Structure formats: C-alpha cells, structure tokens
C-alpha cells in the first residue's frame, strides 16, 4: 500500500508531460492535414467521454476527454480515432465532400499527415535539447560510480561510490552512456574492469552473470551501478542546435537497438516500462530540477515518436506501411486485409501494454 500511495505523488507531473507530448504529436498531424486541405473534425487530448471543449471557426472540436492516456485527431471520412477509412460514408460523399477527406488525397499527402505526428515529437525533443544546451550547457555524465545496488555484480566486485571506471576488457568509455553500452555488449562474459580509486588504478575481473533462486547462472547486461551527477559544458547556440540533433538521433538509435534486442531475445521483455514506471520516472525527474524534467520529457517525446513509427496497424507506422504498399502497387490494400491487420495490431499493442503494466506491478508494488 505504501508503494501505491508513493506513486500518487507522481501522477501530476506524469499527466503534465503526457498532455504536452500528446498535444505536440497530434498538432503535427493536425497542421499537415490542414495544410493539405483536410477537414479535421476532432482534436482530442485523452479518450472516452468529453470533459470540456470548444469549436473553432474551421469546425474542429477541440476537447479534453476523461481518460488522459493519449489522444487523437479524427478527420473527415475517418471511421474512428485510428484513422481507418469509413468506406460506407465515403461511398455516399459527393466529389466535393471527398476532396475534404484525407482518404481522397494523394499517397504522398497521406504519408505526410501520418508521419507528421512522430516528426513533431522528434522536433520537440531537438528544441528542448537545444534550449538546455544553450542556456544551461550540454550535460556530460562521467563514468564515476554514483551508487551501487546491493547484491549486484558491482558490489560483489568491490566497486564503491566515487570509483571512476576507465575501461572494460581494455575498451575505454568516455562517458556513462558508452559505459552502459559496453556493459550490455559483454553480457554473460568475463570482464576485466579497470577503474580509478583516488589516484590509484585497479583492475578486477567479474563474470556478467547472476545466480537465480535455483542456483542457475543467468547472463545479464547490467552491473548494478548508477551514474554520478552530470557536469554541464557551455556551448554556443549553433553548436547547441547541432548537438541537439545528434543527441536526438543517438537516443533514437539506442531505443531502436533496444527494441531489436528484445525482439531477438538479447534483452528481456521485463525491461519494458509501463504507465506506472513512467509516472515514477516523471516524479523523480521533477525532484531533479527543471533540467532533469525537460530531459525526461525530451526522452519520452523521442520514445513516443519512435513507437508510433513501428509498422504496426493502428499506429502511424502501420498507416505508412499501407500507404507505401499502395504507392508501390498503385492500388490500396484490400479493405478486408486492412480490417484484419488493424485487429492484429490492436492485439499486439494491448499485449505490450499488459506486459509492461505487469512489469510495473512486480517492480513497484509486489517488490
């Protein structure tokens, strides 16, 4: 019960972040749709019954809905919030009415509308990073150990807070980000850790495995260390913008690599974080100050953009996949196939949500 109550204090910052990111994502869809002369019927933050809203001069209903876990833009000719075409209504429309529907537009226009949401999330992350790098400085996280988890590999190896890790198996890490990748790449292997304690260099050998309750060795890609506080290096606005793009790109690549490793079994699905974990991290980021809060928001914005680009029907990536097939073969994917694909996509998304939520429960409530 204590864990449940402690999570409650994180709900407010989580909802702030989620509302902003959903608004940015859906605004991307909305602006590109309007640019292509598509009528937008609804712009909703949240799902379910409407709490309050208003109509603009273009006839769009802007509203906040009861379930604040996402949002959608419903366009003229859509069957539902997932932007599936309402084929029955489209058949009854006049040519003039159809011209205001997304589904009457060229393939390239439809692809632009679908891609605009994720693109807006990436752009938002770049703006956050560029602003932080300009006014506060670019963060650099050294390989100094900031905390050691009890019972984990690092503690058993004798590492303590303040030790600066220099290399793993002779491969140097310039920052904690590179160190984390090195640790993951040595999963299950014997590793020589060279580190600096005070002014003395030392080396210790560890095996990247943990023993489970049955006494079976299990390969792991973590040592049980947390980084020390970041350092900030001031850079000019041009460098800030360039580094912000590089930062967004590198984080995107890392996330995609992680997804790929889960699919291939190199990483466990237990690492998936759900709403409870994200809320927990949001609360912790608030405690770290405005910079930590903004960095977490940028991280989540990139995550939202990437997840929506996955080629799963019901997500933006699923629409892009269908439009790409249509562009290649010159005709849309048959309606029945799209319907079945959307059902499969929905099952996949709900399955991922269930797994991530169960992971949250075991980590935060049943621990």
């Amino acid at each position: 019960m204590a864990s449940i109550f402690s999570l409650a204090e994180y709900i407010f910052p989580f909802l702030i972040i989620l509302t902003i990111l959903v608004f940015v994502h859906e605004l991307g869809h909305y602006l590109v749709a309007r640019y292509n002369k598509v009528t937008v019927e609804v712009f909703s933050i949240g799902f379910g019954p409407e709490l309050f809203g208003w109509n603009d001069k273009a006839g769009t209903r802007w509203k906040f809905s009861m379930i604040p876990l996402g949002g959608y833009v419903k366009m003229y000719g859509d069957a539902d919030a997932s932007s599936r075409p309402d084929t029955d209504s489209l058949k009854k429309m006049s040519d003039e009415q159809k011209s205001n529907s997304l589904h009457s537009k060229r393939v390239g226009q439809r692809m632009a509308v679908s891609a605009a949401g994720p693109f807006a999330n990436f752009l938002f992350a770049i703006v956050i990073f560029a602003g932080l790098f300009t006014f506060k400085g670019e963060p650099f996280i050294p390989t100094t150990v900031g905390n050691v988890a009890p019972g984990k590999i690092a503690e058993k190896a004798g590492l303590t807070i303040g030790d600066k890790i220099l290399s793993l198996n002779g491969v140097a890490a310039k920052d904690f980000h590179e160190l984390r990748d090195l640790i993951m790449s040595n999963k299950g292997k014997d590793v020589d850790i060279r580190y600096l304690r005070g002014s003395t260099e030392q080396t210790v050998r560890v095996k990247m495995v943990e023993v489970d309750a049955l006494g079976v060795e299990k390969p792991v890609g973590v040592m049980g260390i947390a980084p020390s506080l970041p350092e900030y290096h001031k850079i000019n606005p041009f460098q800030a913008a360039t580094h912000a793009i590089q930062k967004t790109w590198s984080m995107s690549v890392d996330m995609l690599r992680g997804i790929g490793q889960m699919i291939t079994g190199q990483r466990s699905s237990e690492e998936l974080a759900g709403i409870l974990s994200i809320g927990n991290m949001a609360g912790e980021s608030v405690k770290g100050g405005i910079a930590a809060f903004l960095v977490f928001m940028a991280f989540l914005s990139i995550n939202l953009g990437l997840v929506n680009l996955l080629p799963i029907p019901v997500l933006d990536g699923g629409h892009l996949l269908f439009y790409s097939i249509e562009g290649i073969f010159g005709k849309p994917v048959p309606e029945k196939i799209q319907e079945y694909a959307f059902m499969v996509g929905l099952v996949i998304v709900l399955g991922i949500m269930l797994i991530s939520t169960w992971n949250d429960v075991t980590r935060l409530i049943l621990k």
Side-chain angles (χ1 to χ4, degrees):
M1 291 300 294
S3 298
I4 295 174
F5 286 121
S6 67
L7 285 174
E9 66 181 286
Y10 300 143
I11 291 176
F12 187 60
F14 167 66
L15 290 180
I16 290 176
I17 291 176
L18 187 62
T19 299
I20 292 172
L21 296 187
V22 168
F23 176 78
V24 167
H25 182 93
E26 300 304 337
L27 186 64
H29 290 310
Y30 172 84
L31 291 176
V32 176
R34 296 292 294 135
Y35 177 79
N36 285 286
K37 296 181 172 54
V38 175
T39 298
V40 178
E41 296 181 333
V42 178
F43 187 116
S44 177
I45 302 297
F47 297 101
E50 178 179 329
L51 295 175
F52 62 91
W54 63 92
N55 293 330
D56 65 13
K57 293 180 180 179
T60 301
R61 180 67 179 176
W62 297 74
K63 65 179 185 177
F64 284 82
S65 299
M66 185 173 292
I67 306 171
L69 299 177
Y72 63 92
V73 169
K74 184 178 182 296
M75 302 176 203
Y76 186 57
D78 286 352
D80 50 40
S82 68
S83 287
R84 287 191 302 114
D86 186 346
T87 51
D88 291 336
S89 295
L90 288 167
K91 288 175 183 176
K92 297 174 184 177
M93 290 180 186
S94 66
D95 290 341
E96 183 179 354
Q97 290 174 319
K98 284 182 181 178
S99 68
N100 295 320
S101 166
L102 173 68
H103 308 289
S104 69
K105 302 300 179 181
R106 298 190 307 274
V107 171
Q109 291 174 300
R110 282 178 275 152
M111 291 183 77
V113 172
S114 292
F119 177 80
N121 285 124
F122 296 133
L123 184 61
F124 186 61
I126 290 170
V127 170
I128 290 176
F129 285 134
L132 282 173
F133 295 170
T134 299
F135 297 105
K136 185 175 179 62
E138 185 174 15
F140 171 80
I141 304 178
T143 58
T144 305
V145 177
N147 195 22
V148 179
K152 297 296 182 180
I153 291 172
E155 185 187 56
K156 293 175 182 177
L159 293 176
T160 61
I161 295 173
D163 289 344
K164 181 179 177 62
I165 298 177
L166 304 175
S167 66
L168 269 64
N169 282 346
V171 181
K174 67 179 181 182
D175 57 25
F176 201 88
H177 175 78
E178 286 192 2
L179 177 62
R180 185 185 59 195
D181 288 344
L182 272 176
I183 293 171
M184 178 59 67
S185 66
N186 282 284
K187 181 178 180 180
K189 300 177 182 177
D190 290 325
V191 176
D192 288 324
I193 304 173
R194 188 164 62 92
Y195 62 96
L196 188 66
R197 178 172 292 172
S199 59
T200 306
E201 286 190 16
Q202 301 183 45
T203 303
V204 63
R205 169 163 286 200
V206 299
K207 188 171 185 179
M208 296 298 294
V209 297
E210 290 182 351
V211 180
D212 63 20
L214 299 175
V216 179
E217 287 189 345
K218 175 184 175 183
V220 292
V222 293
M223 291 200 304
I225 57 173
S228 59
L229 293 175
E231 303 167 0
Y232 291 90
H233 301 161
K234 284 285 183 113
I235 54 178
N236 64 51
F238 177 77
Q239 288 176 314
T242 304
H243 290 194
I245 294 171
Q246 293 171 343
K247 180 72 171 175
T248 301
W249 173 260
S250 65
M251 290 181 74
S252 300
V253 170
D254 286 345
M255 290 179 195
L256 285 175
R257 185 185 296 120
I259 292 171
Q261 289 171 337
M262 285 186 191
I263 293 172
T264 58
Q266 293 175 273
R267 296 176 71 168
S268 171
S269 61
E270 293 177 1
E271 295 183 44
L272 280 173
I275 294 171
L276 296 179
S277 287
I278 294 171
N280 189 40
M281 288 184 281
E284 291 299 324
S285 71
V286 170
K287 295 177 182 178
I290 185 64
F293 182 76
L294 289 173
V295 167
F296 179 70
M297 188 183 294
F299 165 80
L300 214 56
S301 189
I302 295 169
N303 200 298
L304 180 61
L306 279 177
V307 167
N308 271 280
L309 284 177
L310 294 176
I312 300 174
V314 310
L315 299 179
D316 296 323
H319 293 299
L320 290 170
L321 176 63
F322 287 146
Y323 296 151
S324 298
I325 293 172
E326 182 179 346
I328 293 169
F329 293 101
K331 58 182 180 180
V333 175
E335 183 182 335
K336 277 294 180 185
I337 293 179
Q338 288 196 46
E339 287 180 7
Y340 289 133
F342 273 100
M343 286 190 288
V344 171
L346 184 61
V347 169
I348 292 172
V349 171
L350 290 175
I352 293 171
M353 290 177 64
L354 285 172
I355 292 170
S356 59
T357 302
W358 175 249
N359 290 344
D360 289 351
V361 170
T362 55
R363 272 195 298 258
L364 301 174
I365 299 175
L366 300 180
K367 64 179 181 179

